[in-house]
Amino acid sequence: MDTPSGKTVLSGIQPSGSLHLGNYLGALKQWVELQESNTVYYCIVDLHAITVPYEPTEYQSRVLDATAGLLAVGIDPERSTLFAQSQVPAHTELNWLLSTTTPLGELERMTQFKDKQAKQREKSSLGLFAYPVLQAADILLYQAHAVPVGEDQVQHIELARDIAKRFNNRYAKIFTLPEAYVPKGAARIKSLTDPTKKMSKSDESEKSYIALMDEPEVIRKKIMSAVTETEPVFSFTDSGPAVQNLLQIFAAVSGETHEAIEKQFAGSAYKTFKEALADVVIAQLTPIRERYQELRADENKLKEVLATGREQAAAIANPTLAAAKEAMGFLV
Ligand code: AMP
Ligand code: TRP
């Protein structure tokens, strides 16, 4: 879809592990831009993140880390509603209502479920299976038109759209049909150690991803040791997958065109290219890391931001929930 303007936008991110360059280029950069000319809701999806093993005694800290991270990348609470999912009970209530009209077969097709289930085997829970229904509730409560996400989430947004359609046909036309808004080029940033996998914070190897809060020397080391193909060819179409990934990162971070980048590095050694890539990534992430450290130090301020967000979010979500319940025949 074209860049939304004058629309309602909602997205979510899990408070698990550190935010990484894939999150930033695939989603968060768009979140920041969309604040300019849309009504935006950004949700820290703490109920989603407990569908895989987590540590309860550290969980409050993880949610505050995510809050500080989102503020550090440029989410502005004056222009965005930034809140924690578990603090707005309408999400879990709509989740139940929607689950009763979602066919099992549709959930069984979700690739994220299949991947996560394969990793957890018999430990995987009903919550992990129902994950996309809760995600649909997140989106539909705010009547979002556009959902900025990386490519891995498109299937979930399409399911949310189908859930909304089914509800509107069966009961009453309550929900806006949402659409995914996926950035060009940076929609799927790959692991630095294995370009067949996406960059992910749950990867065992820390070398595979660049965390937004990594120190400059760490970023440089990770980039210098990123895998490449044998021949140094710099082409967005003809390089191997590892180098194409590094080129995509260069383009997304620097904002330069593919042609300019190919021209700049034609005939260069990998070392020269990687040094230049490290320079642009470090220049982009350093101010984010510095702002994060400052923001993370003031927990009361972070909690205040979430308290304001929670009220603003509930003021929109509760009436939508009431309308859905009424349409389903409940006493409200
Ligand atoms: P998560 O960290 O799974 O909560 O994802 C938060 C957002 O970042 C979602 O919109 C994802 O689609 C996006 N995202 C996660 N990993 C990547 C990646 N490697 N490349 C691009 N986008 C990503
Ligand atoms: N499932 C998303 C992810 O893993 C996170 C998410 C939860 C989300 N609710 C959402 C994204 C609503 C967009 C809209 O990245």
Side-chain angles (χ1 to χ4, degrees):
M1 78 188 291
D2 295 337
T3 308
S5 178
K7 296 279 165 60
T8 299
V9 168
L10 176 136
S11 197
I13 188 158
Q14 305 190 60
S16 43
S18 11
L19 298 177
H20 58 74
L21 195 61
N23 294 137
Y24 183 62
L25 300 177
L28 302 181
K29 238 182 148 170
Q30 286 62 243
W31 291 23
V32 173
E33 286 162 13
L34 291 169
Q35 303 177 113
E36 302 298 329
S37 56
N38 298 278
T39 304
V40 300
Y41 299 89
Y42 296 133
C43 181
I44 297 169
V45 294
D46 49 1
L47 296 168
H48 275 113
I50 62 166
T51 55
V52 293
Y54 79 108
E55 179 47 55
T57 57
E58 288 172 7
Y59 206 43
Q60 291 195 7
S61 293
R62 293 294 81 78
V63 173
L64 295 176
D65 292 347
T67 309
L70 293 176
L71 296 174
V73 299
I75 303 300
D76 173 4
E78 300 287 321
R79 286 181 296 170
S80 296
T81 296
L82 174 60
F83 66 105
Q85 184 187 37
S86 64
Q87 294 192 322
V88 182
H91 291 241
T92 36
E93 195 170 348
L94 185 63
N95 170 58
W96 175 258
L97 302 177
L98 298 177
S99 75
T100 62
T101 56
T102 306
L104 293 179
E106 290 190 9
L107 295 172
E108 277 160 1
R109 282 210 312 273
M110 295 294 119
T111 52
Q112 194 172 68
F113 170 68
K114 288 193 265 189
D115 291 349
K116 288 189 179 175
Q117 192 198 27
K119 283 194 198 137
Q120 296 192 64
R121 305 251 166 70
E122 66 281 4
K123 285 210 208 91
S124 79
S125 65
L126 175 60
L128 185 67
F129 188 59
Y131 179 115
V133 184
L134 180 60
Q135 183 164 350
D138 299 339
I139 298 167
L140 302 183
L141 279 173
Y142 300 88
Q143 308 288 16
H145 305 102
V147 186
V149 283
E151 214 167 65
D152 62 317
Q153 291 300 315
V154 170
Q155 199 185 26
H156 286 166
I157 312 310
E158 283 170 357
L159 178 69
R161 190 181 171 88
D162 290 342
I163 289 175
K165 267 192 206 154
R166 197 174 304 112
F167 187 102
N168 287 352
N169 288 336
R170 166 123 188 239
Y171 299 109
K173 211 179 156 307
I174 304 289
F175 297 121
T176 301
L177 304 186
E179 238 184 284
Y181 173 59
V182 182
K184 292 184 196 81
R188 185 180 284 266
I189 302 294
K190 311 286 180 7
S191 153
L192 299 181
T193 50
D194 177 358
T196 63
K197 295 199 290 190
K198 69 169 182 174
M199 184 178 283
S200 159
K201 53 199 163 198
S202 58
D203 203 302
E204 304 97 57
S205 161
E206 283 194 5
K207 276 172 137 182
S208 71
Y209 64 88
I210 292 173
L212 296 191
M213 310 313 160
D214 277 345
E215 299 285 334
E217 321 75 83
V218 177
I219 296 176
R220 192 171 296 278
K221 249 195 208 142
K222 288 179 177 176
I223 290 178
M224 297 314 288
S225 65
V227 297
T228 50
E229 283 77 26
T230 31
E231 285 298 307
V233 175
F234 297 101
S235 158
F236 281 85
T237 47
D238 301 334
S239 291
V243 174
Q244 277 198 33
N245 184 45
L246 298 179
L247 286 166
Q248 287 294 357
I249 295 174
F250 196 103
V253 171
S254 68
E256 287 171 29
T257 64
H258 292 186
E259 297 68 41
I261 296 167
E262 287 172 351
K263 208 161 150 203
Q264 183 182 349
F265 295 105
S268 298
Y270 278 138
K271 186 161 181 295
T272 313
F273 168 67
K274 285 176 162 180
E275 292 283 7
L277 178 60
D279 289 343
V280 292
V281 172
I282 290 168
Q284 183 137 123
L285 297 190
T286 296
I288 295 177
R289 193 188 74 254
E290 289 172 354
R291 272 199 301 275
Y292 175 82
Q293 283 161 347
E294 205 174 297
L295 289 156
R296 187 63 187 84
D298 190 349
E299 292 205 342
N300 286 334
K301 179 76 198 308
L302 298 173
K303 286 179 184 164
E304 263 170 43
V305 169
L306 293 179
T308 307
R310 162 195 205 154
E311 266 180 44
Q312 289 170 351
I316 306 299
N318 291 346
T320 313
L321 174 66
K325 286 178 77 173
E326 195 174 2
M328 289 179 81
F330 291 103
L331 286 166
V332 286

